[in-house]
Amino acid sequence: MSTPTTTTTTAATTTTAPAPASALSVARTTATAARVLRQLRHDPRTIALLILIPCLMLVLLRYVFDGSPRTFDSIGASLLGIFPLITMFLVTSIATLRERTSGTLERLLSMPLGKGDLIAGYALAFGFLAVIQSALATGLAVWFLGLDVTGSPWLLLLVALLDALLGTALGLFVSAFAASEYQAVQFMPAVIFPQLLLCGLFTPRSDMHPVLEAVSDVLPMSYAVDGMNEVLKHTDMTATFVRDILIVAGCALLVLCLGAATLRRRTA
């Protein structure tokens, strides 16, 4: 009578999955980031999209307003933050979803790898690319395209980098709700376009309908544009600028946490 009991216990033991890691680990996070960067290294089209497209868009914008340099100065800084946000959102959401649909994420999550490690690793890898992207775009705009800013170009770079990191966080978040790369792209009109229209790029937010102005007050892109405008108008770092960058950074961190919470651990 004891034999069936022993068999059942053995079977239960062999089918037990490894317990997921609970604490965020620097080693696991950096290993995940290194793996993502190695994969991206073999994808030149993605690297070109990340690095070159924002720069090309800025060059195009500069010569669209070739007869009106002041117009380029007024909107160029804002778009310096918006372009990286959009490209990082697209690339991050599609790249993450590709690993999800190929089963890579499921295999990783079956190992002693926490959701926080996975999301932080992806954010670290794409954040590294965001630094390169933002630095190139800011340097091009200020030193080659003649973007005239009153404040420090380093503050301009800081806002552009935070915008790119926000795009990365949003891309990681929405990838959890898409079943295909096509669906991931469809999230762009829902997530990015409303912010683009309401951020104050086309008209001051105070001139909008009160309902739209209230909506714009809770959208992170609005504070990214406000931060860029603070650099354009003031030589020193203002309290409003500090508020704006803290809100953008806080939104990016919040979305990353939501991305980790919505990351599903599927089982066969």
Side-chain angles (χ1 to χ4, degrees):
M1 296 296 293
S2 60
T3 303
T5 303
T6 304
T7 304
T8 302
T9 304
T10 303
T13 302
T14 56
T15 56
T16 301
S22 55
L24 191 67
S25 167
V26 175
R28 292 192 295 263
T29 298
T30 53
T32 301
R35 182 187 61 81
V36 174
L37 290 174
R38 284 195 301 269
Q39 291 179 332
L40 288 174
R41 187 181 60 184
H42 300 292
D43 190 353
R45 288 178 297 181
T46 299
I47 295 177
L49 177 62
L50 283 171
I51 304 300
L52 298 180
I53 293 301
C55 295
L56 292 176
M57 291 298 99
L58 286 171
V59 172
L60 178 62
L61 183 71
R62 167 63 181 85
Y63 291 103
V64 164
F65 296 107
D66 190 44
S68 180
R70 298 305 304 171
T71 303
F72 176 71
D73 291 338
S74 62
I75 67 173
S78 299
L79 292 177
L80 182 59
I82 292 174
F83 286 157
L85 189 154
I86 293 175
T87 55
M88 293 303 297
F89 173 84
L90 281 173
V91 172
T92 305
S93 59
I94 293 175
T96 307
L97 183 63
R98 186 179 300 167
E99 295 213 327
R100 185 190 303 277
T101 55
S102 66
T104 302
L105 285 181
E106 186 174 352
R107 291 192 296 271
L108 289 172
L109 289 175
S110 67
M111 302 167 60
L113 181 70
K115 295 180 181 181
D117 296 318
L118 193 64
I119 291 296
Y122 275 84
L124 183 61
F126 286 106
F128 173 75
L129 295 175
V131 172
I132 299 175
Q133 179 196 69
S134 301
L136 288 176
T138 303
L140 176 69
V142 174
W143 288 296
F144 291 94
L145 299 181
L147 181 66
D148 187 16
V149 294
T150 302
S152 170
W154 294 107
L155 297 180
L156 211 62
L157 173 60
L158 175 61
V159 182
L161 176 58
L162 289 176
D163 288 345
L165 294 176
L166 176 62
T168 298
L170 290 172
L172 289 171
F173 177 65
V174 303
S175 67
F177 303 98
S180 65
E181 294 180 15
Y182 177 69
Q183 288 185 5
V185 174
Q186 286 180 316
F187 273 104
M188 185 172 173
V191 176
I192 300 298
F193 286 178
Q195 297 192 67
L196 186 61
L197 293 174
L198 299 178
C199 68
L201 177 64
F202 302 104
T203 185
R205 293 193 289 130
S206 58
D207 293 343
M208 298 179 184
H209 189 279
V211 173
L212 296 180
E213 183 181 1
V215 173
S216 72
D217 288 340
V218 298
L219 298 178
M221 192 183 291
S222 301
Y223 298 94
V225 172
D226 287 349
M228 288 293 191
N229 289 332
E230 287 293 307
V231 179
L232 285 177
K233 299 174 183 177
H234 301 91
T235 56
D236 299 322
M237 184 184 300
T238 64
T240 302
F241 175 82
V242 174
R243 180 209 64 182
D244 292 336
I245 63 172
L246 288 178
I247 289 176
V248 175
C251 287
L253 181 60
L254 175 62
V255 174
L256 283 177
C257 293
L258 291 175
T262 56
L263 189 62
R264 295 185 294 274
R265 186 183 296 273
R266 295 185 178 92
T267 56

